Amino acid sequence: MSAVVAQSLHVFGLRSHVANNIFYFDEQIIIFPSGNYCVKYNVDQKWQKFIPGSDRSQAMLALSISPNRRYLAISETVQEKPVITIYELSSIPCRKRRVLNNFDFQVQKFISMAFSPDSKYLLAQTSPPESNLVYWLWEKQKVMAIVRTDTQNNPVYQVSFSPQDNTQVCVTGNGMFKLLRFTEGTLKQTNFQRGELQNYLAHTWVADDKIIVGTDTGKLFLFESGDQRWETSIVVKEPTLGSKSLDVIQESESLIEFPPVSSPLPSYEQMVAASSHSQMSMPQVFAIAAYSKGFACSAGPGRVLLFEKMEEKDVYRESREIRQDILCLCFSPSEETLVASTSKNQLYSITMSLTEISKREAAHFEYLTCPLHSAPITGLATCIRKPFIATCSLDQSVRVWNYETNTLELYKGYQEEAYSISLHPSGHFIAVGFADKLRLMNLLLDDIRSFKEYSVRGSRECSFSNGGHLFAAVNGNVIHIYTTTNLENILSLKGHTGKIRSIAWNADDSKLISGGTDGAVYEWNLSTGKRETECVLKSCSYNCVTITPDAKIILAVGTDYTLKEIADSLILREIPAFDVTYTAIAISHSGRMMFVGTSVGTIRAMRYPLPLQKEFNEYQAHAGPVTKMLLTFDDQFLLTTAEDGCLFTWKVFDKDGRGIKREREVGFAEEVLVTKTDMEEKAQVMLELKTRVEELKMENEYQLQLKDMNHSEKMKELTEKFLQEMESLKTKNQVLRTEKEKQDISHREHIEALLDKQSRELQDLESSNNQTLLLEYEKYQELQLKSQRMQEEYEKQLRDNDETKSQALEELTEFYEAKLQEKTTLLEEAQEDVRQQLREFEETKKQIEEDEDREIQDIKTKYEKKLRDEKESNLRLKGETGIMRKKFSSLQKEIEERTNDIETLKGEQVKLQGVIKSLEKDIQGFKREIQERDETIQDKEKRIYDLKKKNQELGKFKFVLDYKIKELKKQIEPRENEIRVMKEQIQEMEAELEHFHKQNTQLELNITELWQKLRATNQEMRRERQKERDLEALVKRFKTDLHDCVAYIQEPRLLKEKVRGLFEKYVQRADMVEIAGLNTDLQQEYSRQREHLERNLATLKKKVVKEGELHRTDYVRIMQENVSLITEINELRRELKFTRSQVYDLEAALKLTKKVQPQEVSEGEPSKDMPSKAPTTRLNEQEETGRIIEMQRLEIQRLRDQIQEQEQVTGFHTLTGVRLPSLSNSEADFEVKTN
């Protein structure tokens, strides 16, 4: 792989011809196709994330997002084969979940898709002539059903699921409106088309069984369960309103200007209108979107109508006059914004909470991002002093973008197509080649204005020089060179016989390279105007040429599927393009990276010099051939354009994954060109606005004074009214008080009468209740006597039953023992039958699993039908219950009033009835207890008999098992003792390890102290060396001065002066030297002690290194021993588990054999065979453990000897209180175990 990496940062463009090309991921993020990517764009934060398409993708056809916003399905054509890729949007970055590319049916491409409400199923419609509708369980890549929707090769436009039902599907197309239901593994049509067939362009579900459908004649139909319920026609808007809305938009936006209505470029709807005059009056409905209040639909060029529920009037708002057909509409999850995509690759949005909508007035769409190119981009340029990108397109527009802020800076439309563009290095001027002229234009603050025009028709290439003092323009097969100072033509370079397709300047602007369709690549010398080198290959038509930064090698790409390196009129190398045509090439200013664009829209990044092998990174960026490619001046960003109308910006990285940084001495310029007339106009506007503000202030003050006067008058009127109402209320209050006193007196009298009545009724009730109590008490005594008699009779019956049961039990035991033998034989036969049945069951299970899916789906459909019926019945019942509740509440109030009186009277009666019921319950309880006791007695007797039988059998096995358990315990006990001893040894070795750790820490402290001493001695050595250097320098200077004095040896006077000068200059230094000579003995003593300390330090270092190695080896050895001991302990534990499991198995086996074998077999026989192998294996394991312990004892002895040797070494001090475990104890334990 190549060391050069490009990462996509931002894209300006939209692929409008992808079905369902815009939708919301959440409230802030929208997803739309651009190039060969799907873009996740955050509307608030303005960032983009990319979902790449498939490798070698030829076309993206349709998109669909699941209702839960987790999955995205993309329909593509990859190497002329249809592919559906499903991405998981919740993962970061988005990853492929499923790829559907193996089909059992004929298919050319999938033109429309839809997810089911639960996101488990995927519906896909294929293109004619097959026109198949495929119903997928996409997680398992399983086709549930397939049906042909059309047999007459009519186009199908849209498929969709019902929003609440997985099994209901809608398909619309030319002369086609079908409702299908998935039942019994097939899709069956449920509606029948009546009346005149229409060309149904779009549809949407507004309820569970209601669908809105739009046609190409401007009609809207409402179908309910397949039957037409409502119809309306959309009226064409008058042209005067359109011009007004356009004027409003042009005033509100300073950077974006729309072309006038009389544009020579016909739009899509104008071409359709030219074919049939009848369709002019009926606009086509390309898009419909439902929301909670109703639905929105496109109503011809640039109009959207809103329809609300329960109203047949078209309550609508209209968009701006964009002169384009709206292809797709989408509401945000909260239904606050509506987004629209158009046939001219534009994205628009509008907020649903606008005041114009509430007032039933026309509201206007705004650009979602910025105006985008709607036709192939033909020119691309960038500059040095500003982060600008300039593009021109066949849509008759010139646009200037900012690649730092990812915004559109300037936009202007023209009457002619623009073929080429170039930016001046300063970023203030551009040269644009139009179909009729070449124009030089200024980039102003909010406009692009021409200041010079040349009669160069159809200039396909133009370029400013790197220094900006020249610019070149191509006119057919001639290159014209102009100066930017006096704007005159200084050179005309002729020599090409075909059209020139590409030109490039070298770094110092002394040479120009050109390549054309005639297969010629020329290098022109601009000082002489002649060709310096030429390379002609008539079999190749060159698409693009460039030159390396050192101006030594020319790189050219053309139609012969190669990349050529040309130098000195010779082709040095030809690198194959691997079955694609290179259409553009760019090399970095550093000369280390190279990028090429292909005819299939891919971009290849490779390092330069070019490798011999196929080493490059390929990115599937565009959906059409790459037209232009540039690198910014600092080699940070790559810019690419293509015929799909998209502009991509890429971040470029080097081999180490870092951006190739070039230091900028000066930042980007912030200056802007403004004309003098514009400044004067703005100054005048400012003055007018100021005067207007002052006038408004005066008017506001006057109006405020008038309002204050009005308010004061109103306040007076209100206070008078308030006082009058207060007086009237006071009189009313007095009247009400008198009435209240009268009602209180009457109420007291009524209460006293009621209390008298209540006291009388209470006395009557007490007398009657006392009589009833006496009668009930007599009845209770009689019942007690009856219960005593019943108990005596039941006790007699129980005694008789015990005697009869004992006899019956003996007879039953003999009978069931005989049956047991018969059933054992039957069990063996049944086991064989079970095996056969298991085989049959496995075969039937496979068949059942295959049939289960079908049955589940049928059951689902049945129950979903039932659910719908029940929901409808529930709605009816709710309405009825509401009426009944009202009646019930009115009746309940009357009942409550009456029951309150009755309850007070019946309170005491209820108490007496409660006593009676409690007595009756006691009687019934006694009866139940008697029955339950009879049943429990029978169950317990049966259980006693079974337990006695089991006790006899267990008594026989107990003797055998006790004997075996004793033998196993004898075998287990020595192993447990060994484990205990091993654990103690491990603890002792761990203590020894701690001792070694402490010694290591002490040694590390000693080493740090010695290092500190070493540093101090090193510093002293540096000081002494510095002194020595100073003295040597002084001696050298003295020698040179003395040598100068020797030159005057023949002149005593001058010699004397020179010697005196030497004395005055060096006398102090000489004294210092003498003092140093006196202290030579001290220096010698210092050096001797220093050497002694260095020797000691060296020996200590060696000792530390040796001891560290010894400690390390000992530590590793002890760790290994610990590991081996732990493994042995684990093995012993496993053996213990194994022996216990053997004991348990033996017990179980003995029980089974005892049941199967007759009673004549002796009790000791089964115990002879089972544990026969255990003692032999146990002896082998004991020998192995003995050997291991002996080896460990020898190793520990060796370690102790080493430790004693280390203790004898000077400078090694062991810590007191920590000792290794004694060998005598371990040896004694081992001898006992072996014996």
Side-chain angles (χ1 to χ4, degrees):
M1 295 299 290
S2 173
V4 180
V5 179
Q7 180 184 354
S8 53
L9 284 182
H10 204 87
V11 62
F12 301 97
L14 170 72
R15 291 185 69 180
S16 60
H17 296 291
V18 177
N20 193 15
N21 56 25
I22 187 164
F23 36 77
Y24 272 89
F25 175 63
D26 56 27
E27 195 61 36
Q28 288 81 31
I29 297 172
I30 62 167
I31 298 176
F32 59 88
S34 182
N36 198 44
Y37 287 108
C38 278
V39 182
K40 289 173 74 176
Y41 176 67
N42 191 305
V43 179
D44 295 336
Q45 299 176 7
K46 309 296 182 186
W47 53 255
Q48 289 184 354
K49 291 182 180 177
F50 296 90
I51 304 168
S54 302
D55 293 338
R56 299 182 181 179
S57 174
Q58 294 170 336
M60 194 180 292
L61 302 169
L63 302 179
S64 180
I65 192 168
S66 62
N68 60 7
R69 312 286 176 184
R70 286 187 61 190
Y71 306 109
L72 173 67
I74 302 175
S75 169
E76 298 174 286
T77 303
V78 180
Q79 294 180 345
E80 298 182 356
K81 291 181 181 179
V83 173
I84 294 175
T85 309
I86 298 167
Y87 291 87
E88 191 170 352
L89 295 174
S90 56
S91 63
I92 300 173
C94 298
R95 63 182 182 86
K96 290 183 181 179
R97 183 68 180 266
R98 286 286 182 275
V99 178
L100 308 176
N101 53 9
N102 294 321
F103 309 112
D104 300 332
F105 47 89
Q106 289 185 353
V107 57
Q108 291 182 358
K109 56 186 178 180
F110 293 98
I111 56 175
S112 181
M113 298 182 296
F115 277 97
S116 62
D118 58 1
S119 306
K120 291 181 180 178
Y121 300 96
L122 181 68
L123 199 66
Q125 175 67 46
T126 66
S127 62
E130 296 87 8
S131 297
N132 289 323
L133 182 66
V134 189
Y135 190 91
W136 257 302
L137 181 63
W138 64 267
E139 280 280 6
K140 296 182 180 179
Q141 299 185 1
K142 184 178 179 182
V143 176
M144 306 298 292
I146 185 169
V147 67
R148 188 167 183 178
T149 54
D150 186 68
T151 57
Q152 299 177 359
N153 292 336
N154 289 326
V156 180
Y157 297 120
Q158 188 180 354
V159 297
S160 66
F161 274 99
S162 170
Q164 302 294 332
D165 190 359
N166 285 347
T167 60
Q168 197 166 2
V169 173
C170 180
V171 183
T172 54
N174 190 357
M176 184 193 314
F177 171 71
K178 291 184 179 181
L179 288 174
L180 306 169
R181 188 173 287 279
F182 178 71
T183 54
E184 299 177 356
T186 57
L187 286 165
K188 296 179 181 178
Q189 187 172 352
T190 59
N191 71 322
F192 298 98
Q193 296 182 4
R194 300 185 183 90
E196 185 181 355
L197 296 176
Q198 302 280 341
N199 186 5
Y200 299 107
L201 298 178
H203 71 267
T204 188
W205 296 77
V206 292
D208 293 347
D209 55 352
K210 293 180 182 179
I211 305 171
I212 295 290
V213 185
T215 69
D216 61 344
T217 58
K219 290 185 179 180
L220 290 172
F221 298 96
L222 173 63
F223 292 95
E224 185 175 358
S225 301
D227 298 327
Q228 184 178 331
R229 301 294 185 193
W230 176 72
E231 178 183 352
T232 187
S233 295
I234 297 168
V235 181
V236 176
K237 185 188 164 201
E238 294 179 2
T240 54
L241 296 173
S243 61
K244 287 180 183 177
S245 65
L246 181 63
D247 295 336
V248 172
I249 293 153
Q250 287 178 346
E251 286 175 6
S252 62
E253 296 183 4
S254 60
L255 294 179
I256 303 165
E257 289 186 18
F258 278 80
V261 178
S262 61
S263 176
L265 180 67
S267 62
Y268 177 74
E269 70 278 8
Q270 288 172 339
M271 289 187 282
V272 172
S275 62
S276 61
H277 180 71
S278 63
Q279 289 186 3
M280 282 291 289
S281 59
M282 293 296 177
Q284 296 181 347
V285 181
F286 283 109
I288 306 176
Y291 70 113
S292 59
K293 294 181 181 179
F295 66 92
C297 70
S298 63
R303 287 178 69 206
V304 174
L305 303 184
L306 279 183
F307 287 81
E308 294 183 357
K309 291 179 183 177
M310 305 303 290
E311 291 183 12
E312 294 188 359
K313 294 181 180 179
D314 51 347
V315 180
Y316 68 93
R317 65 187 185 284
E318 56 186 81
S319 72
R320 61 174 74 198
E321 280 290 327
I322 51 179
R323 308 296 295 169
Q324 304 160 35
D325 276 326
I326 293 168
L327 298 181
C328 187
L329 292 171
C330 180
F331 283 96
S332 64
S334 64
E335 298 181 354
E336 289 183 0
T337 56
L338 173 64
V339 176
S341 66
T342 70
S343 60
K344 291 295 183 68
N345 303 348
Q346 304 299 325
L347 291 172
Y348 297 92
S349 68
I350 193 166
T351 55
M352 299 294 290
S353 59
L354 287 174
T355 56
E356 290 88 346
I357 300 167
S358 60
K359 292 177 182 178
R360 305 291 190 261
E361 295 178 2
H364 304 292
F365 277 88
E366 298 293 334
Y367 281 112
L368 184 67
T369 55
C370 54
L372 306 171
H373 281 295
S374 59
I377 297 172
T378 55
L380 174 69
T382 184
C383 61
I384 299 169
R385 295 286 291 121
K386 290 187 178 183
F388 282 174
I389 308 165
T391 57
C392 62
S393 171
L394 297 179
D395 60 2
Q396 303 175 348
S397 68
V398 173
R399 299 167 201 256
V400 178
W401 316 83
N402 190 319
Y403 61 80
E404 274 198 340
T405 59
N406 296 321
T407 55
L408 180 68
E409 293 285 338
L410 290 170
Y411 161 77
K412 194 165 185 179
Y414 295 91
Q415 299 294 325
E416 302 87 15
E417 292 179 349
Y419 298 122
S420 61
I421 194 168
S422 182
L423 258 173
H424 192 269
S426 65
H428 293 307
F429 316 107
I430 56 169
V432 184
F434 289 97
D436 58 346
K437 290 177 182 178
L438 173 71
R439 293 174 182 166
L440 285 178
M441 295 185 280
N442 285 321
L443 297 180
L444 303 179
L445 179 63
D446 54 359
D447 194 11
I448 303 173
R449 291 185 190 172
S450 175
F451 66 90
K452 180 66 176 176
E453 293 182 353
Y454 299 96
S455 59
V456 178
R457 290 181 173 273
S459 178
R460 296 283 176 174
E461 284 292 323
C462 65
S463 177
F464 278 98
S465 63
N466 295 315
H469 60 291
L470 301 172
F471 70 93
V474 173
N475 185 7
N477 56 2
V478 179
I479 303 170
H480 298 288
I481 307 296
Y482 300 89
T483 63
T484 57
T485 53
N486 56 8
L487 307 176
E488 291 181 356
N489 186 2
I490 58 171
L491 278 176
S492 293
L493 307 177
K494 299 178 181 179
H496 282 278
T497 57
K499 289 185 178 180
I500 298 168
R501 297 289 297 276
S502 178
I503 56 174
W505 297 86
N506 68 341
D508 59 357
D509 298 332
S510 61
K511 295 176 184 177
L512 185 72
I513 292 88
S514 62
T517 56
D518 55 355
V521 175
Y522 295 147
E523 185 178 357
W524 305 87
N525 191 327
L526 298 181
S527 60
T528 60
K530 294 180 181 179
R531 286 181 291 194
E532 282 196 351
T533 62
E534 59 183 32
C535 179
V536 181
L537 185 67
K538 292 186 178 180
S539 61
C540 175
S541 174
Y542 287 107
N543 294 322
C544 187
V545 294
T546 188
I547 190 168
T548 57
D550 57 3
K552 292 180 179 178
I553 297 172
I554 299 168
L555 301 167
V557 293
T559 56
D560 60 348
Y561 304 104
T562 59
L563 189 153
K564 297 178 179 61
E565 288 185 340
I566 302 167
D568 298 329
S569 303
L570 296 172
I571 297 172
L572 299 179
R573 289 173 66 191
E574 288 189 2
I575 293 90
F578 305 102
D579 300 329
V580 294
T581 304
Y582 287 150
T583 57
I585 186 169
I587 190 166
S588 65
H589 298 87
S590 63
R592 289 189 287 167
M593 300 182 295
M594 192 173 70
F595 301 91
V596 290
T598 66
S599 58
V600 295
T602 59
I603 290 166
R604 292 179 178 178
M606 55 189 78
R607 68 172 183 267
Y608 192 81
L610 294 169
L612 296 172
Q613 299 175 352
K614 183 181 178 181
E615 290 185 10
F616 53 80
N617 290 323
E618 189 165 11
Y619 304 97
Q620 186 75 36
H622 292 279
V626 178
T627 55
K628 295 292 177 181
M629 183 181 289
L630 281 177
L631 276 158
T632 57
F633 181 70
D634 54 1
D635 289 343
Q636 290 286 307
F637 301 100
L638 174 69
L639 314 171
T640 60
T641 59
E643 290 184 5
D644 59 0
C646 295
L647 167 64
F648 273 86
T649 60
W650 307 77
K651 180 74 173 174
V652 179
F653 298 96
D654 65 356
K655 185 176 181 179
D656 301 325
R658 296 171 296 179
I660 298 173
K661 295 180 180 178
R662 298 184 66 179
E663 294 182 0
R664 296 184 62 88
E665 294 179 358
V666 183
F668 287 123
E670 295 181 357
E671 295 81 7
V672 180
L673 292 180
V674 181
T675 60
K676 190 176 180 180
T677 54
D678 288 342
M679 289 293 289
E680 289 172 354
E681 286 175 1
K682 285 181 180 178
Q684 287 178 358
V685 170
M686 288 283 284
L687 288 169
E688 289 173 1
L689 289 169
K690 283 180 182 178
T691 54
R692 180 66 179 157
V693 166
E694 289 175 357
E695 290 173 0
L696 287 169
K697 280 182 180 178
M698 295 291 288
E699 288 177 3
N700 286 328
E701 287 175 358
Y702 179 67
Q703 287 176 359
L704 283 169
Q705 287 176 359
L706 290 172
K707 285 180 181 178
D708 289 336
M709 296 289 286
N710 292 326
H711 284 304
S712 60
E713 290 175 358
K714 285 180 181 178
M715 284 291 286
K716 286 178 183 178
E717 292 175 359
L718 288 169
T719 50
E720 289 174 358
K721 286 181 182 178
F722 180 71
L723 291 168
Q724 290 174 1
E725 287 176 357
M726 285 286 286
E727 288 175 357
S728 63
L729 287 168
K730 281 179 182 178
T731 54
K732 285 180 182 178
N733 196 8
Q734 288 176 359
V735 173
L736 290 168
R737 279 180 184 174
T738 54
E739 289 178 357
K740 186 185 175 186
E741 289 173 356
K742 289 176 184 178
Q743 286 178 359
D744 287 338
I745 293 161
S746 62
H747 184 65
R748 284 171 191 166
E749 291 173 354
H750 184 66
I751 286 167
E752 288 173 357
L754 288 170
L755 288 169
D756 293 335
K757 281 183 183 179
Q758 190 179 4
S759 61
R760 289 170 194 166
E761 287 173 355
L762 278 170
Q763 289 173 1
D764 295 336
L765 285 168
E766 282 178 359
S767 60
S768 62
N769 285 331
N770 287 326
Q771 290 174 2
T772 53
L773 275 169
L774 291 168
L775 292 169
E776 292 295 332
Y777 183 69
E778 290 174 356
K779 286 179 183 178
Y780 176 68
Q781 286 179 348
E782 289 175 359
L783 288 168
Q784 276 186 344
L785 292 169
K786 283 181 183 179
S787 64
Q788 287 177 1
R789 290 171 192 168
M790 292 287 284
Q791 279 182 355
E792 291 174 356
E793 288 175 0
Y794 281 124
E795 285 175 357
K796 288 178 183 179
Q797 287 177 4
L798 282 169
R799 288 171 195 155
D800 297 334
N801 286 328
D802 289 335
E803 292 174 357
T804 54
K805 281 174 185 174
S806 61
Q807 293 175 1
L809 281 168
E810 290 175 356
E811 292 173 359
L812 285 166
T813 51
E814 292 174 357
F815 176 71
Y816 281 115
E817 282 176 356
K819 275 192 174 182
L820 270 170
Q821 292 177 355
E822 292 175 0
K823 286 183 178 179
T824 50
T825 55
L826 289 168
L827 268 169
E828 292 175 355
E829 292 174 357
Q831 285 176 354
E832 291 177 355
D833 292 332
V834 166
R835 289 167 193 158
Q836 291 177 357
Q837 286 175 2
L838 282 168
R839 291 168 193 164
E840 292 173 358
F841 174 74
E842 287 176 355
E843 292 176 355
T844 54
K845 187 180 177 182
K846 291 176 183 176
Q847 296 175 357
I848 289 161
E849 284 176 352
E850 292 175 354
D851 296 330
E852 270 180 356
D853 293 332
R854 296 174 185 170
E855 290 176 358
I856 287 161
Q857 289 172 358
D858 296 337
I859 290 160
K860 266 188 181 180
T861 53
K862 288 176 184 177
Y863 281 110
E864 284 172 354
K865 286 179 183 177
K866 286 181 181 179
L867 266 172
R868 286 191 220 100
D869 297 332
E870 285 177 0
K871 282 179 182 177
E872 291 173 358
S873 62
N874 280 330
L875 289 168
R876 276 191 248 105
L877 290 168
K878 280 178 182 177
E880 292 173 0
T881 51
I883 296 161
M884 294 297 289
R885 277 175 187 167
K886 289 177 183 177
K887 290 180 181 178
F888 180 73
S889 61
S890 61
L891 290 168
Q892 200 168 16
K893 286 176 183 177
E894 294 176 1
I895 291 161
E896 284 175 358
E897 289 173 357
R898 293 179 184 178
T899 50
N900 288 327
D901 298 330
I902 293 161
E903 282 175 359
T904 54
L905 296 170
K906 290 184 177 180
E908 293 179 358
Q909 188 178 352
V910 170
K911 290 179 184 177
L912 295 169
Q913 286 178 355
V915 173
I916 293 159
K917 285 178 182 177
S918 64
L919 292 169
E920 286 175 356
K921 285 179 183 177
D922 292 335
I923 291 159
Q924 289 175 359
F926 286 129
K927 287 179 182 178
R928 287 173 190 163
E929 282 179 6
I930 290 160
Q931 288 176 359
E932 286 173 1
R933 284 178 182 176
D934 290 338
E935 291 173 357
T936 52
I937 287 161
Q938 290 175 3
D939 294 334
K940 284 179 180 177
E941 285 175 352
K942 286 179 184 177
R943 196 172 177 187
I944 288 160
Y945 179 74
D946 294 333
L947 290 168
K948 282 180 181 176
K949 231 178 175 187
K950 287 179 183 176
N951 281 331
Q952 288 174 0
E953 291 175 356
L954 291 168
K956 292 175 184 177
F957 290 125
K958 188 179 179 183
F959 180 76
V960 177
L961 290 170
D962 288 337
Y963 179 74
K964 288 182 179 178
I965 288 161
K966 286 176 184 176
E967 287 182 348
L968 289 167
K969 280 182 179 177
K970 287 177 184 177
Q971 293 174 3
I972 290 162
E973 280 174 1
R975 283 298 175 93
E976 288 177 346
N977 292 327
E978 287 174 6
I979 290 161
R980 200 178 296 111
V981 172
M982 291 284 188
K983 283 181 179 177
E984 289 173 358
Q985 287 181 359
I986 288 162
Q987 288 174 359
E988 289 171 357
M989 293 176 106
E990 284 176 353
E992 193 172 356
L993 264 174
E994 288 177 3
H995 170 65
F996 283 128
H997 280 306
K998 289 175 182 175
Q999 286 181 349
N1000 282 329
T1001 52
Q1002 187 64 34
L1003 287 168
E1004 284 173 0
L1005 289 168
N1006 292 334
I1007 288 161
T1008 51
E1009 288 175 1
L1010 291 168
W1011 273 110
Q1012 287 173 359
K1013 289 177 183 177
L1014 255 174
R1015 290 191 192 97
T1017 52
N1018 284 329
Q1019 287 175 0
E1020 288 175 0
M1021 280 176 68
R1022 288 192 200 99
R1023 291 194 203 99
E1024 291 299 322
R1025 283 174 182 170
Q1026 188 64 35
K1027 287 178 183 177
E1028 189 179 352
R1029 289 192 207 99
D1030 294 337
L1031 289 169
E1032 284 175 357
L1034 192 138
V1035 170
K1036 282 179 183 177
R1037 274 181 272 151
F1038 182 78
K1039 283 179 180 178
T1040 53
D1041 292 338
L1042 191 63
H1043 187 267
D1044 293 334
C1045 289
V1046 169
Y1048 300 102
I1049 199 162
Q1050 298 296 329
E1051 297 176 4
R1053 187 174 57 79
L1054 291 170
L1055 183 63
K1056 185 179 179 182
E1057 288 175 1
K1058 291 288 181 182
V1059 170
R1060 189 181 288 111
L1062 281 172
F1063 179 79
E1064 289 172 358
K1065 190 175 181 180
Y1066 294 103
V1067 69
Q1068 293 175 353
R1069 303 287 176 90
D1071 293 336
M1072 288 174 71
V1073 171
E1074 286 175 3
I1075 291 159
L1078 293 170
N1079 294 328
T1080 50
D1081 295 330
L1082 291 171
Q1083 285 180 354
Q1084 286 175 1
E1085 182 64 26
Y1086 172 75
S1087 61
R1088 188 175 59 76
Q1089 288 180 358
R1090 185 171 155 195
E1091 287 174 0
H1092 176 68
L1093 287 168
E1094 285 176 352
R1095 280 194 225 100
N1096 288 334
L1097 199 141
T1099 53
L1100 285 168
K1101 276 185 182 177
K1102 289 176 183 176
K1103 285 178 183 178
V1104 166
V1105 170
K1106 286 179 182 177
E1107 286 171 0
E1109 290 175 355
L1110 289 169
H1111 284 304
R1112 198 177 294 111
T1113 53
D1114 293 338
Y1115 180 73
V1116 171
R1117 193 179 294 109
I1118 290 160
M1119 285 296 289
Q1120 289 172 353
E1121 288 172 0
N1122 282 333
V1123 170
S1124 63
L1125 289 169
I1126 288 161
T1127 52
E1128 285 178 3
I1129 289 161
N1130 289 328
E1131 286 174 0
L1132 291 168
R1133 283 175 181 165
R1134 287 193 203 100
E1135 286 175 1
L1136 258 174
K1137 270 190 181 177
F1138 180 72
T1139 51
R1140 284 174 184 165
S1141 64
Q1142 278 185 343
V1143 170
Y1144 181 79
D1145 293 334
L1146 286 167
E1147 287 176 0
L1150 286 167
K1151 286 179 187 176
L1152 289 169
T1153 52
K1154 199 68 179 176
K1155 285 181 183 178
V1156 175
Q1157 290 177 355
Q1159 293 178 357
E1160 297 173 0
V1161 180
S1162 62
E1163 294 177 355
E1165 285 179 356
S1167 65
K1168 291 178 183 177
D1169 299 329
M1170 298 300 288
S1172 60
K1173 293 180 184 178
T1176 57
T1177 56
R1178 182 60 60 192
L1179 285 168
N1180 291 331
E1181 288 171 358
Q1182 284 179 355
E1183 288 174 4
E1184 286 175 3
T1185 51
R1187 288 190 200 121
I1188 291 161
I1189 290 161
E1190 184 65 21
M1191 289 167 68
Q1192 287 174 354
R1193 188 176 63 78
L1194 293 167
E1195 187 65 28
I1196 289 161
Q1197 186 63 43
R1198 189 176 64 76
L1199 287 168
R1200 282 184 172 167
D1201 294 337
Q1202 285 182 1
I1203 289 160
Q1204 286 175 1
E1205 288 175 1
Q1206 287 177 357
E1207 285 176 353
Q1208 290 172 4
V1209 177
T1210 58
F1212 184 83
H1213 301 286
T1214 59
L1215 296 170
T1216 58
V1218 179
R1219 292 183 62 81
L1220 288 170
S1222 61
L1223 283 168
S1224 60
N1225 294 329
S1226 61
E1227 286 173 0
D1229 292 338
F1230 179 71
E1231 287 173 0
V1232 170
K1233 289 168 192 170
T1234 51
N1235 292 329

